[in-house]
């Protein structure tokens, strides 16, 4: 067994474990045998006496004791001359043995000169025309602007050169999983483009060999290995090192693998990027044995080496192109936002490009002002905010394995294995997010005669591409294509832009809302003979305008209408609704048909003009002369009536909040306001505390109001006693009679 | 308290369980969840407020909108808000939300669901 680097193998129960293990243990550099399409003679120097040999009798028709026994004197002289210089200059030496032409290639290993003899007869020749086209081929490779173009040209030209049925370019990822990134094939073959293979398919010791030995050929995968004689190299006492031999016999596991794919002949050329194995050009023949000539193989290796040199710059150029494209779309989105600054969500989702086009992703989510917009393929709307919040809570912007980071997200792997999220505004839970699905792609294996479903033999499970794909899928389950640095940066830049413009907008909104609110509050309370009035409005500390309003409207009948209302929501939208309701209610009050009729009219206004809004309001109408009061209440907190005998909350005269029903008949309740009595109307900001039950707060309110006093003093006492939280606006109106 | 809307099934019907404080900040999340459920065109939908600890007028407004939307879509809606959940029930009663929103003590069985 050869000591090798540990190979990370996919932990896939029942999928080729034994076969992979056998493969990983295979001493591939010293197989002790060669393939039968040539002969190997390892000789000493300078006498060229044969020490180890294989296949000589079949290929050369003799078992020579020395190279002088088989080479014509002239060929022998050329060989000796070549040995004095760079051996690479020698290959191949065209020689004639027993009337047959052979290509002789040589290298040194284990202190011996290893000579390999390959007959020209039976080899396929691309012919001179291909070699004449070489300059154009090279030009095509170097002109490729992207990796896709480079690898596609490489696959096409290597196939044109070598005549294999299928030529694939296979790329390793950082974990040594492989993907077919380009392919040229016979039209009737099933495409393998996009197929993935787990790292274990090409063991570490094979990859180490491929990084130095650029080309491997198996002309006939059904061959019988020809053993080296003697098995041990007399010079070292160990089997001869064949790692640089072109005839090296390959692992039986590899031959099984090829057989399972229906591959009869195979060749592979390494692609090496700055010293690291980047990928392979893998060539298959299905129709029968296939052996490109030595010259054509050298040309194929040359194309592989040329492409290898181009990889780095082409990848960089492609990356550069992608970076530029992302920046371009970012600029277009920012421009769209600038055109419609008050509809940012529309700018990001309704035009061209959308936020989904910013970077390569399958889905995107935009949450602005609390509204979620989804584009493309995403998890369900109710899952998206939670997933984004969970990612951001971990202090991360992006993950390509969300299910690993958040086990609760495992069920959305099909849409959200990859999540890139950036916060917008930082307060209301607004964000931008992009989604990428789990990487595995469905591949149709049906109808491929070369890939039986399972391959079980007496020797145990065998490898097959389908099993490889399954095995690879297990290794990458739940992971997506990683997010690139420039993509994350573009997302962050777009979010920062949105945050900044949202802040500007919010400042502007607050100013507008505050201005609007001021118009809702009375400059001065009306002077009504016989009535003492007081009002308080305290805005929330958040500096956000709420939906409270109050009003005092002297009516034609001489009565006084006292109003306190509250629109759900806050900010500019609520302030605008509040303004409309206040004026609509005034109009209805002035018809002087009583508080219930006015509230009914206001309900109709909401149903007709402001559907979806919800408001509460209470209206009290006082006859200053008699002290008679009529009260109607639309879902608002009860009016407080303080008398010398005690304090009570008016439970009668109630109806549903405004906006619930299109038509309501509100009830009225009546009371008599005696001399020292006080009425108090208030908004929920006075009594609502999240940590104290509402009934307790109402009890406290009644206790505070029991002291009585002038309306002004009463309001101050109540505010001091209840100390309402400053998270909501607080409104109070108090009144009493002065006669 | 953390706000959370969870998809669930109640008596075989699609349901949304609302936990935490349903207010102006969280109401849009309930809206998103309802939107997602209604997009699947269910026959009925249950919104369960048993675990809701607080509701403000914006939360109530959201329930009203949901009720209108469900009625327009022909979806049979039930909003579960037991009397035992006093803080939320008080708001429901104060606004008389039942005028529009079908508030129930517990999810009701329909004929279809009564098995043999």
């Amino acid at each position: 067994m050869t000591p090798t680097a540990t190979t990370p193998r996919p932990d896939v129960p029942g999928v080729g474990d034994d076969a992979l293990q056998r493969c990983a243990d295979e001493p591939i550099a010293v197989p002790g045998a060669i393939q039968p399409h040539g002969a190997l003679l390892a000789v000493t120097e300078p006498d060229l006496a044969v020490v180890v040999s294989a296949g000589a009798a079949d290929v050369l028709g003799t078992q020579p004791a020395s190279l002088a026994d088989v080479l014509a004197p002239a060929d022998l002289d050329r060989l000796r001359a070549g040995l004095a210089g760079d051996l690479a200059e020698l290959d191949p030496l065209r020689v004639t043995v027993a009337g047959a032409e052979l290509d002789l290639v040589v290298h040194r290993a284990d202190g011996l000169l290893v000579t390999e003899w390959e007959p020209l007869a039976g080899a396929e020749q691309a012919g001179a025309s291909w070699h004449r086209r070489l300059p154009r081929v090279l030009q095509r490779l170097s002109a490729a602007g992207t990796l896709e173009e480079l690898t596609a040209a490489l696959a096409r030209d290597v196939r044109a050169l070598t005549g294999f049925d299928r030529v694939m370019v296979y790329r390793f990822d950082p974990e040594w999983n492989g993907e077919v990134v380009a392919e040229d094939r016979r039209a009737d073959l099933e495409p393998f483009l996009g197929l993935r293979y787990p790292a274990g398919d090409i063991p570490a010791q094979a990859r180490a060999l491929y990084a130095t030995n650029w080309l491997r050929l198996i002309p006939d995968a059904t061959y019988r290995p020809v053993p080296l004689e003697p098995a041990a190299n007399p010079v070292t006492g160990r089997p001869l090192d064949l790692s640089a031999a072109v005839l090296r016999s390959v692992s039986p596991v590899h031959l099984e693998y090829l057989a399972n794919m229906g591959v009869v002949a195979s060749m592979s050329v390494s692609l090496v990027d700055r010293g690291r194995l980047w990928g392979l050009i893998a060539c298959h023949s299905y129709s029968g044995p296939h052996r490109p000539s030595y010259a054509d193989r050298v040309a194929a290796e040359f194309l592989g080496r040329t492409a290898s040199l181009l990889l780095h710059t082409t990848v960089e150029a492609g990356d550069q192109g992608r970076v530029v494209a992302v920046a371009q779309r970012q600029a277009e989105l920012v421009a769209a936002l600038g055109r419609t600054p008050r509809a940012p969500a529309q700018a990001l989702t309704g035009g061209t490009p959308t936020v989904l086009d910013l970077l390569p992703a399958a889905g995107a989510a935009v949450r602005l002002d609390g509204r979620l917009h989804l584009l493309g393929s995403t998890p369900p709307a109710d899952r998206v905010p939670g997933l984004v919040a969970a990612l951001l809570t971990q202090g991360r912007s992006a993950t390509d394995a969300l299910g690993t980071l958040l086990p609760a997200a495992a069920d959305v792997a099909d849409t959200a294995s990859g999540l890139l999220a950036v916060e917008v505004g930082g307060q209301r839970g607004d964000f931008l997010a992009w989604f990428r699905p789990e990487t595995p792609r469905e591949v149709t294996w049906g109808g491929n005669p070369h890939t039986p479903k399972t391959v079980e033999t007496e020797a145990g499970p065998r490898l097959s591409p389908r099993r490889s794909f399954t095995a690879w899928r297990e290794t990458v389950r739940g992971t997506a294509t990683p997010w690139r640095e420039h993509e994350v940066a573009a997302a962050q830049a777009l979010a920062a832009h949105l945050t900044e413009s949202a802040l500007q907008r919010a400042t502007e909104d607050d100013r507008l809302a505050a201005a609007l609110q001021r118009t809702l509050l009375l400059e001065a309370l009306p002077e009504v003979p016989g009535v003492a009035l007081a009002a308080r409005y305290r805005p929330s500390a958040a500096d956000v305008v709420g939906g409270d309003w109050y009003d005092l409207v002297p009516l034609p009948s001489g009565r006084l209408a006292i109003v306190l209302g509250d629109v759900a929501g806050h900010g500019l939208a609520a302030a605008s609704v509040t303004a409309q309701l206040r004026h609509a209610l005034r109009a209805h009050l002035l018809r002087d048909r009583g508080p219930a009729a006015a509230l009914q009219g206001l309900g109709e206004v909401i149903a007709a003009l402001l559907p979806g809004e919800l408001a509460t309001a209470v209206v009290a109408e006082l006859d200053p002369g008699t002290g008679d009061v009529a009260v109607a209440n639309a879902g608002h907190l009860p009016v407080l009536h303080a008398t010398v005998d005690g304090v009570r909350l008016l439970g009668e005269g109630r109806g549903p909040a405004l906006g619930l029903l299109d038509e309501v008949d509100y009830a009225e309740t009546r009371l008599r306001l005696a001399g020292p009595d006080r009425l108090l109307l208030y908004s929920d900001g006075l009594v609502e505390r999240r940590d104290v039950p509402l009934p307790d707060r109402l009890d406290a309110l009644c206790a505070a109001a029991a002291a009585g006093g002038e309306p002004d003093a009463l309001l101050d006492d109540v505010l001091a006693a209840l100390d309402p939280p400053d998270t909501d606006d607080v409104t109070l109106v108090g009144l009493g009679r002065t006669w | 308290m953390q706000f959370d809307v969870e998809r669930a099934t109640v008596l075989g019907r699609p349901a949304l369980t609302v936990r935490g404080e349903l207010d102006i900040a969280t109401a849009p999340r309930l809206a998103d969840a309802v939107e997602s459920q209604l997009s699947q065109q269910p026959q009925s939908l249950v919104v369960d407020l048993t675990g809701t600890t607080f509701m403000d007028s914006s939360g109530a407004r959201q329930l009203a909108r949901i009720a209108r939307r469900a009625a327009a879509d022909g979806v049979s809606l039930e909003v579960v808000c037991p009397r035992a959940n006093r803080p939320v029930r008080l708001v429901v009663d104060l606004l008389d939300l039942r005028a529009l929103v079908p508030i129930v003590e517990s999810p009701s069985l329909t004929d279809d669901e009564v098995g043999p």
Side-chain angles (χ1 to χ4, degrees), chain A residues 391-406:
Chain A
L391 178 71
L392 294 174
T393 303
Q394 300 206 6
R396 307 175 64 142
S397 276
T399 174
D400 54 14
L402 187 62
T404 310
L405 202 64
L406 300 173

Side-chain angles (χ1 to χ4, degrees), chain A residues 367 370-372 380-383 568-570 612-614 616 635-637 654 656-657 659-661 688 690 694-695, chain B residues 7 16 21 23-25 28-29 31-33 36 54 56-58 60-61 64-65 68 86 90 94-97 99-100:
Chain A
R367 189 190 166 100
R371 294 300 305 170
L372 186 66
D382 55 330
R383 298 288 303 279
H570 62 213
E613 298 300 338
L614 185 76
T616 64
H636 200 82
L637 289 158
R654 297 190 59 85
L660 287 177
L661 298 178
E688 200 172 81
R690 295 185 188 213
L694 182 62
Chain B
R7 281 191 294 179
L16 293 169
E21 301 183 345
D23 59 16
I24 190 164
R29 287 177 55 189
D32 292 342
S36 165
F54 174 83
D56 73 354
S57 56
S58 293
R61 179 177 58 175
R65 288 176 178 174
R68 283 186 203 283
R86 289 194 67 210
L90 269 171
L94 198 62
L95 299 172
D96 196 6
L97 212 51
L100 174 64

Side-chain angles (χ1 to χ4, degrees), chain A residues 625-652:
Chain A
T626 62
D628 285 337
V629 179
V631 176
N633 187 331
H636 200 82
L637 289 158
V639 170
L640 180 146
H641 182 201
T643 68
V644 287
D645 299 326
V647 176
R648 72 181 190 104
L649 300 170
L650 300 185
E652 307 82 28

Side-chain angles (χ1 to χ4, degrees), chain A residues 247-272:
Chain A
L247 293 173
R248 179 176 57 86
S249 185
V250 303
S251 155
V253 176
H254 183 58
L255 295 178
E256 284 178 17
Y257 189 99
L258 293 177
N260 291 341
M261 287 196 287
V263 173
V264 183
S266 147
M267 184 176 93
S268 70
V269 182
S270 303
L271 293 171
V272 179

Side-chain angles (χ1 to χ4, degrees), chain A residues 259-301:
Chain A
N260 291 341
M261 287 196 287
V263 173
V264 183
S266 147
M267 184 176 93
S268 70
V269 182
S270 303
L271 293 171
V272 179
D273 181 21
R274 290 164 293 165
R276 187 183 198 265
L277 187 64
W278 182 92
L280 299 171
I281 308 169
C283 313
H284 289 166
S285 172
Y286 305 100
S287 40
H290 186 75
R291 175 159 65 92
S293 71
Y294 187 83
D296 290 352
R297 275 140 53 197
V298 168
E301 182 179 324

